[in-house]
Amino acid sequence: MEAGTLAVGEHDSGLARLKQAAGDHPARTALILIGLLVVVMIAAKGLHQVAETGLSGLSTGSIYALGAVGLTLVYGILKLVNFAHGDFVTLGAYLAYLANVTWGWSIGLALVVGLVGVAALGVLTEKLMWAPMRRKRAGLLQLVLMSIGLAFLIRSVIQFEWGTSVLSLDVNKTATVQFLGLSIGRTQLITIIIGIFVISAIGLMLRFTLLGKRMRALSDDLDLAETAGIDTERIILYTWLFAGGLAGLAGVLAGTILPLQPELGFTLLLAMFASVILGGIGDAFGALVGGMVLGLATEWSTMFIDSRWKLAVGFVVLILVLIVRPQGIFGKAKVV
């Protein structure tokens, strides 16, 4: 009996130490755990397979991260859970299809069309929907229902215009690139490059520019920021511009790898929400890290289990992280 009690006590003590370490240095703890996991996988499957699968994970994680940043920016500043965000992603992919396949433009120009088109939609919805509802002091339930309605509206427009058949962008999905003994699809490599570049630019903007500092001020306390003289309405418009643009970009990049269908963004939305929660709700930097971690975890899991279960593995990782640190990797604990 005493031995059993001692074992339980040691288990509780170990869990407590893990929680304390995660609380004091969450990013460092996460990095150490990922490093240990990589070492174990290399020992089991070899460096080459782990590296190649990791590249696929980075391409998937880039798409998750781009979508998650827009999602968390809107929530962080407006406290709005935008369930239409996934359909913003889908619309970006279909606008790229319009430019790339229907009009015959290059995929580079199509990417710009998708990005700009969805960014414009984000600003339009702010002007026509969200700003009037804020002035009327609408509650959380009304806003959530409106976002769900907007999601169905966008999806219906896509189905009306392009149908429900599976479509594809005019890109070479079979071409591969060889480097350092590794092989990766060319579209996946381009996705990684664009994703890391844009993610880095957004991170630098939020950290060092005046606009980024004001956006973070609104995220901390919108009313206080307005009292301090910040033009909150203009910053909110910029927020929707970035959120829509990043969703459109994520949609185009997803469309170069995945088949186009009206439910494309909805299938990615759960992973984007998971990325937001994993990194810390309302924290843009956390969403970036959460998206990458989720992408790597899901792809690395395919070395050990059937690929059909890989998304479930991502949510298992999410649950384990939240057990140790409920506010996410970079989130701050709320005190009531």
Side-chain angles (χ1 to χ4, degrees):
M1 182 70 179
E2 291 180 359
T5 304
L6 181 60
V8 172
E10 290 176 349
H11 172 75
D12 291 342
S13 177
L15 184 59
R17 286 196 298 268
L18 180 59
K19 287 185 176 182
Q20 182 179 359
D24 295 340
H25 306 286
R28 185 189 306 172
T29 303
L31 187 61
I32 291 172
L33 291 175
I34 292 172
L36 291 174
L37 179 63
V38 170
V39 170
V40 172
M41 288 189 298
I42 291 174
K45 295 294 182 178
L47 177 60
H48 184 272
Q49 186 175 355
V50 171
E52 277 202 350
T53 310
L55 287 175
S56 298
L58 286 176
S59 66
T60 304
S62 297
I63 295 170
Y64 291 165
L66 288 170
V69 171
L71 199 60
T72 202
L73 280 176
V74 169
Y75 178 82
I77 292 176
L78 299 176
K79 302 301 180 281
L80 169 65
V81 182
N82 184 18
F83 285 97
H85 195 76
D87 293 276
F88 278 28
V89 172
T90 306
L91 182 62
Y94 275 90
L95 288 177
Y97 177 86
L98 175 67
N100 177 232
V101 177
T102 306
W103 297 345
W105 292 6
S106 69
I107 189 62
L109 291 175
L111 186 147
V112 174
V113 170
L115 188 155
V116 173
V118 182
L121 176 64
V123 173
L124 183 64
T125 57
E126 160 62 16
K127 289 288 190 180
L128 297 181
M129 293 175 56
W130 310 121
M133 294 303 289
R134 283 199 306 276
R135 287 193 291 269
K136 295 177 181 179
R137 298 188 179 279
L140 176 62
L141 178 61
Q142 291 93 330
L143 296 177
V144 168
L145 290 175
M146 286 184 68
S147 71
I148 294 174
L150 178 61
F152 281 113
L153 175 61
I154 296 172
R155 200 175 310 172
S156 297
V157 170
I158 290 173
Q159 290 175 343
F160 177 80
E161 182 64 30
W162 287 283
T164 57
S165 301
V166 176
L167 304 176
S168 179
L169 293 174
D170 185 17
V171 294
N172 189 344
K173 297 182 180 180
T174 61
T176 59
V177 176
Q178 308 284 337
F179 67 97
L180 299 177
L182 303 175
S183 176
I184 184 175
R186 188 170 65 187
T187 54
Q188 289 181 305
L189 181 60
I190 293 172
T191 297
I192 293 173
I193 294 171
I194 293 176
I196 291 178
F197 174 79
V198 173
I199 287 169
S200 301
I202 292 294
L204 292 172
M205 183 276 294
L206 290 172
R207 179 66 69 185
F208 296 110
T209 68
L210 180 60
L211 174 61
K213 293 175 181 177
R214 288 178 174 175
M215 290 175 75
R216 287 189 284 126
L218 263 67
S219 179
D220 290 336
D221 192 319
L222 192 148
D223 293 331
L224 182 61
E226 189 168 18
T227 304
I230 296 177
D231 187 348
T232 56
E233 292 301 318
R234 185 168 64 90
I235 302 301
I236 289 172
L237 281 179
Y238 279 124
T239 300
W240 279 107
L241 192 70
F242 279 114
L246 290 172
L249 177 60
V252 178
L253 294 179
T256 62
I257 299 173
L258 304 171
L260 266 62
Q261 51 188 341
E263 294 79 21
L264 171 65
F266 179 75
T267 59
L268 296 173
L269 183 61
L270 288 177
M272 292 177 189
F273 272 123
S275 301
V276 169
I277 297 169
L278 183 62
I281 298 176
D283 190 298
F285 302 103
L288 299 176
V289 176
M292 287 299 188
V293 169
L294 198 66
L296 287 170
T298 54
E299 293 300 327
W300 273 333
S301 69
T302 60
M303 296 188 297
F304 303 94
I305 62 173
D306 192 291
S307 60
R308 292 176 298 177
W309 297 99
K310 66 180 183 180
L311 189 57
V313 171
F315 285 97
V316 170
V317 172
L318 171 65
I319 292 170
L320 292 176
V321 170
L322 294 183
I323 289 174
V324 177
R325 187 173 171 81
Q327 65 268 36
I329 297 174
F330 292 95
K332 297 178 181 179
K334 301 296 183 183
V335 179
V336 179

